[in-house]
Amino acid sequence: MPNATFALRFISGKYQGGEFPLRMDREIIVGRSSDLDMVLVEDMVSRKHAKITAAGDQIVIQDLGSTNGTFVNGEKIKKARLKEGDRILIGTSIIKLIAVDTSQVVSEEAARAKLEQTGQRRSVSGANKPMSGSIDEIPLPDLLQLLSTSRKSGVLSVRGEGGHGRIYLRKGQIYYSTIDDSYDLSPRKSMFRMLTWVTGTFELEAPDEKSVLEEIQESTEGLLMEGMRQLDEFNRIVPELPQPDQALGLSSPLTPLLKELKENELDILQLVINYGQMRAVLDRSPKTDLETAQALLNLMNKGYVAAR
């Protein structure tokens, strides 16, 4: 770090798109009070919220007894050393520590003025959402970890390559999720599928305590751990699977005996017969995408199912 120049980039919230330079051997106070170094005007930010110190080869952030806390990479901190790529949550702003070209560094005064203009412009235009941004900048697992640790409530609306997902949170606990309001996908399965999205946008909307038939009971941490495990396993077998829009059917001639199949394999075989497409089989199966894909792969390897 000694020869690098760093900045704080706002990747979500009222000041999204703004940057603030970090000078070595300099201390920055962050908070709502207008006389501070970096001013964030929002209700969840304390008057003096946090202090960021750059000295020698270290950048350290310290919470100053704020009401709503300071978070780094999903963990509530009192004091923590920062490294490039770390994400800080203060109020509803997610801030990323980035390395910058020294030729592009602006003065603190200019950065402060631009932040103020950004916040005012988003407020006037109505674009000032409580928390919004891009999952290209902050992956969904990281974002959900931040929301969980900071005990946020609301509906996380995610628009990605797989559709429009909605994740319902109650004090940081995920209790329901859906994609395109489809009843074919269980809440848990919808959640796991959204974790595979790598591009798109998100917005934290106001809480919606609508009545749901099936609430997710796992802790958010447990759900994310299992979701990431399944994602790793699914990505490992993806090269062997048919494409989502590829047609599927029974092998002809059907040589192996049906009585040799396990119950879950018979269920997947019936879905192949009824719907005849990879995406439809994944959607209609009551099992997770990983469990369905594994069973389908077994059926193909054993000679029961063939891609068309």
Side-chain angles (χ1 to χ4, degrees):
M1 274 199 194
N3 299 318
T5 300
F6 292 89
L8 299 167
R9 173 180 290 167
F10 287 76
I11 60 176
S12 172
K14 181 177 180 178
Y15 302 95
Q16 184 181 347
E19 287 186 10
F20 197 92
L22 290 180
R23 310 286 188 194
M24 284 301 150
D25 301 317
R26 172 82 166 88
E27 182 178 276
I28 293 171
I29 305 295
V30 183
R32 198 174 69 247
S33 181
S34 60
D35 60 347
L36 301 182
D37 304 299
M38 191 163 79
V39 181
L40 305 181
V41 184
E42 57 171 292
D43 293 341
M44 293 186 67
V45 175
S46 297
R47 288 182 60 79
K48 284 190 176 181
H49 197 106
K51 176 173 68 175
I52 301 174
T53 306
D57 63 348
Q58 294 190 20
I59 299 174
V60 175
I61 185 168
Q62 179 180 350
D63 184 77
L64 298 177
S66 65
T67 302
N68 293 299
T70 301
F71 301 83
V72 175
N73 298 330
E75 293 186 14
K76 190 172 186 178
I77 60 97
K78 289 185 177 178
K79 189 174 184 179
R81 183 174 175 179
L82 298 175
K83 63 182 183 302
E84 184 182 353
D86 281 349
R87 297 179 181 90
I88 305 159
L89 176 65
I90 295 177
T92 61
S93 291
I94 301 175
I95 308 164
K96 185 177 181 180
L97 180 65
I98 61 167
V100 293
D101 190 321
T102 53
S103 64
Q104 298 177 341
V105 176
V106 298
S107 68
E108 288 186 14
E109 291 75 16
R112 193 179 298 113
K114 187 174 180 181
L115 281 181
E116 184 178 352
Q117 291 169 4
T118 300
Q120 289 177 346
R121 184 171 63 250
R122 290 172 70 86
S123 296
V124 170
S125 68
N128 180 25
K129 305 298 184 182
M131 186 179 285
S132 61
S134 165
I135 58 176
D136 306 62
E137 279 270 24
I138 175 165
L140 200 50
D142 295 354
L143 176 60
L144 287 167
Q145 182 65 42
L146 277 173
L147 296 177
S148 172
T149 312
S150 55
R151 296 176 60 80
K152 300 288 190 205
S153 295
V155 181
L156 186 66
S157 173
V158 185
R159 297 182 184 274
E161 60 261 46
H164 181 194
R166 292 169 68 82
I167 301 169
Y168 293 73
L169 297 116
R170 188 188 294 127
K171 293 184 178 179
Q173 172 64 42
I174 297 170
Y175 67 92
Y176 187 70
S177 68
T178 180
I179 297 175
D180 294 330
D181 294 322
S182 171
Y183 290 105
D184 290 334
L185 304 178
S186 70
R188 195 168 180 267
K189 183 172 179 175
S190 297
M191 183 70 253
F192 289 160
R193 186 173 291 188
M194 275 185 268
L195 294 180
T196 69
W197 298 356
V198 295
T199 63
T201 60
F202 69 84
E203 177 185 325
L204 184 62
E205 300 171 346
D208 178 3
E209 286 292 342
K210 74 173 185 177
S211 155
V212 297
L213 292 176
E214 182 184 353
E215 283 203 7
I216 296 172
Q217 299 300 323
E218 292 167 81
S219 69
T220 296
E221 183 180 20
L223 191 67
L224 291 176
M225 287 180 65
E226 175 60 16
M228 296 310 294
R229 183 196 70 80
Q230 292 205 17
L231 177 59
D232 288 343
E233 287 291 313
F234 188 83
N235 286 338
R236 186 177 59 81
I237 64 174
V238 158
E240 304 173 62
L241 294 172
Q243 294 298 308
D245 58 353
Q246 195 160 358
L248 303 174
L250 292 178
S251 297
S252 181
L254 185 60
T255 306
L257 300 176
L258 292 176
K259 67 180 182 180
E260 295 179 356
L261 290 177
K262 299 174 183 177
E263 184 177 348
N264 69 312
E265 291 174 329
L266 279 170
D267 291 341
I268 302 303
L269 186 65
Q270 185 172 355
L271 291 174
V272 170
I273 295 169
N274 289 345
Y275 299 104
Q277 187 203 48
M278 180 65 183
R279 181 182 289 106
V281 170
L282 288 173
D283 285 351
R284 298 283 181 168
S285 170
K287 302 291 187 181
T288 66
D289 286 343
L290 174 63
E291 294 165 333
T292 302
Q294 288 172 330
L296 183 61
L297 202 54
N298 285 338
L299 290 171
M300 296 178 70
N301 291 336
K302 292 176 181 177
Y304 290 94
V305 173
R308 305 302 188 196

